[in-house]
């Protein structure tokens, strides 16, 4: 029983890491950033000293998330842009209620 639970946790963790990497790669490609996805921390801020996104970049990410995951990010959902983890949490929360 414990082995099955461990395997479930491991599978979910691997899926999360894969999704984070996919979103990092998509952001880097979409914004034309000169950085490797592997060196971007999942908790690194997307604005400021993080990926240094600006308001136009935000719009690009909103469109990307909507097209890829059918999840809409509104003006009130600014917390979604805190980090890669925050963005993935936001997407997963919206997918769970859909």
């Amino acid at each position: 029983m414990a082995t099955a639970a461990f395997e479930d946790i491991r599978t979910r963790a691997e899926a999360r890491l894969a999704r984070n990497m996919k979103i990092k790669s998509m952001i880097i490609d979409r914004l034309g950033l000169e950085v490797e996805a592997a060196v971007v921390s999942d908790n690194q801020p997307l604005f400021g000293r993080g990926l240094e996104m600006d308001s136009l970049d935000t719009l690009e990410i909103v469109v990307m998330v909507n097209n890829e995951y059918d999840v809409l990010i509104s003006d009130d959902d600014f917390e979604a842009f805190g980090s890669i983890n925050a963005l993935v949490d936001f997407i997963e929360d919206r997918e769970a209620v859909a």
Side-chain angles (χ1 to χ4, degrees):
M1 184 70 145
T3 302
F6 175 75
E7 286 302 318
D8 181 53
I9 292 169
R10 181 177 173 178
T11 300
R12 286 186 286 138
E14 288 172 351
R16 174 62 183 241
L17 288 173
R19 180 173 256 189
N20 283 15
M21 184 60 75
K22 178 181 179 182
I23 289 178
K24 284 190 274 190
S25 296
M26 290 170 55
I27 290 172
I28 289 166
D29 290 344
R30 184 100 181 199
L31 302 180
L33 301 177
E34 298 289 329
V35 64
E36 294 292 323
V39 299
V40 176
S41 165
D42 292 340
N43 291 317
Q44 182 173 345
L46 299 180
F47 292 95
R49 293 190 184 265
L51 291 179
E52 299 182 6
M53 289 176 37
D54 61 22
S55 58
L56 291 176
D57 296 332
T58 303
L59 182 57
E60 286 287 328
I61 302 309
V62 168
V63 171
M64 179 194 80
V65 168
N66 190 27
N67 290 341
E68 184 71 23
Y69 298 101
D70 198 27
V71 169
L72 182 62
I73 303 174
S74 74
D75 291 342
D76 296 329
D77 299 322
F78 59 89
E79 74 278 355
F81 293 100
S83 66
I84 297 296
N85 273 326
L87 185 57
V88 172
D89 287 343
F90 181 85
I91 292 167
E92 289 179 348
D93 288 348
R94 295 311 185 272
E95 287 177 331
V97 296

